[in-house]
Amino acid sequence: MTTHASADLGIHAIGLTKSYGDLRVLDGIDLAVPRGSVLALLGPNGAGKTTTVRILATLTAADSGSVRVAGHDTVAERSRVRELIALTGQFAAVDELLTGTETLRMMGRLAGLSPRAARTRADGLLARFGLTEAAGRTAKTYSGGMRRRLDLAASLVSRPEVIFLDEPTNGLDPRSRQDLWDLVRELRADGTTVLLTTQYLEEADRLADRVAVLADGRIAAEGTPGDLKARVAGHRLDLTLTNRAAYEALAPRAVHLDPEELTLGLATDGSAAHVRTLLDELDPDRTDIGRFALRSATLDDVFLALTGADR
């Protein structure tokens, strides 16, 4: 990659490896995230998503490879990188004895803001995250969603160039999750680079400019959500079977399974000719398939096909 291209990247990782004893967690990870864009990092539990985030955020050292974040080397310029990034983990990390106001003002002072600037920044973030009415209460009185919002607000006090969101909507109710989605869109519009790990594939589909699928310590695929869905299958033919034997016979070919409803999904190009061919091939006697429906492929299909995760 040229120097000019590298300068346009908010995150640039080459050949990252990491092992814990005999366990190889990362086996040569490459990432290139343009400034002001959102990358969603997907993968099953234990795939190495959090390890990757910790390396990029300077919290864990890679065994080999190189990383530049916000244009700076994470080893040689570790302190500078930390000034330019923010990290929100899977669980809200706030001091329960401090009020919302105290938390954000403290973070502002730690970020080098004057007392007046810290107050202004705190008030603005409390309003942005819908916490103004609760600002004078200690965090121990907050609901889980409110604590998550306060945690996110604290991570934005310093106006980071790059923010790492490690499963940020874990445990949030649908309304709070939607609010966070809106925040990610605002961050991107403001030019912030966002790396998002998530177990909610709809979240990645809606928010990410690009998606990277992590499996067995490697990037199994990377591209726009549309590109990845087209790679696995442009469409999916969902079949509801009339009996368990027919369901089990077709299950190995499926990209989606619902054993309770005896429903499974098969890859198809979506054309009438291909759908008819599949139906005739799979149920020549027309007794095993009770219903069928054609739908667009989803990131769920991509995830299952590329990671081999349990369906």
Side-chain angles (χ1 to χ4, degrees):
M1 186 169 291
T2 66
T3 302
H4 174 73
S6 295
D8 293 334
L9 298 175
I11 301 169
H12 190 197
I14 301 174
L16 293 186
T17 68
K18 183 66 178 179
S19 297
Y20 294 100
D22 295 332
L23 178 63
R24 185 81 155 179
V25 179
L26 300 180
D27 192 19
I29 297 295
D30 297 329
L31 291 173
V33 187
R35 293 179 185 267
S37 68
V38 179
L39 174 74
L41 186 61
L42 307 182
N45 291 332
K49 301 187 300 298
T50 296
T51 297
T52 300
V53 169
R54 289 182 61 82
I55 290 173
L56 298 177
T58 77
L59 299 178
T60 298
D63 294 337
S64 63
S66 64
V67 182
R68 296 186 71 83
V69 173
H72 300 275
D73 186 278
T74 57
V75 176
E77 303 171 275
R78 183 182 183 190
S79 296
R80 180 56 178 156
V81 170
R82 289 188 167 188
E83 293 174 356
L84 299 173
I85 67 173
L87 167 64
T88 296
Q90 297 180 26
F91 305 99
V94 295
D95 189 327
E96 294 187 344
L97 299 181
L98 296 180
T99 67
T101 295
E102 290 169 342
T103 296
L104 298 187
R105 289 183 180 179
M106 177 187 70
M107 295 302 295
R109 297 292 287 140
L110 291 174
L113 300 181
S114 68
R116 181 175 182 179
R119 288 195 301 271
T120 300
R121 183 65 174 152
D123 291 345
L125 287 169
L126 288 166
R128 182 179 185 180
F129 283 87
L131 294 171
T132 300
E133 292 186 3
R137 290 164 37 196
T138 57
K140 67 180 179 181
T141 69
Y142 286 15
S143 67
M146 293 170 68
R147 292 188 190 193
R148 170 60 76 186
R149 280 182 277 154
L150 179 60
D151 189 35
L152 287 166
S155 70
L156 296 178
V157 168
S158 62
R159 303 181 190 274
E161 290 188 25
V162 178
I163 184 166
F164 300 98
L165 302 177
D166 191 12
E167 299 191 22
T169 58
N170 184 34
L172 293 187
D173 59 72
R175 176 56 186 272
S176 296
R177 184 176 299 150
Q178 182 64 58
D179 289 343
L180 188 134
W181 290 358
D182 291 340
L183 170 65
V184 172
R185 295 185 182 104
E186 290 176 17
L187 289 171
R188 177 173 55 188
D190 290 343
T192 305
T193 306
V194 180
L195 189 145
L196 167 75
T197 75
T198 179
Q199 294 289 343
Y200 300 105
L201 301 185
E202 178 191 11
E203 191 164 88
D205 207 355
R206 291 195 180 194
L207 298 178
D209 297 294
R210 296 183 67 81
V211 173
V213 182
L214 187 61
D216 298 323
R218 294 178 175 270
I219 300 297
E222 183 179 353
T224 67
D227 289 342
L228 293 183
K229 285 183 281 189
R231 171 175 170 173
V232 173
H235 294 81
R236 197 177 84 193
L237 181 64
D238 283 353
L239 308 175
T240 301
L241 285 304
T242 59
N243 60 85
R244 176 68 58 179
Y247 174 86
E248 293 177 352
L250 296 180
R253 298 180 54 172
V255 296
H256 170 77
L257 292 171
D258 184 346
E260 291 186 3
E261 298 295 330
L262 294 184
T263 298
L264 49 77
L266 301 176
T268 174
D269 63 13
S271 68
H274 192 232
V275 169
R276 281 195 294 265
T277 298
L278 276 176
L279 292 174
D280 289 340
E281 173 193 347
L282 301 174
D283 188 15
D285 297 329
R286 300 186 180 184
T287 58
D288 292 336
I289 297 176
R291 296 189 306 276
F292 71 89
L294 184 66
R295 60 194 296 277
S296 297
T298 68
L299 281 184
D300 294 71
D301 303 321
V302 174
F303 182 85
L304 294 173
L306 294 177
T307 66
D310 290 340
R311 293 171 292 186

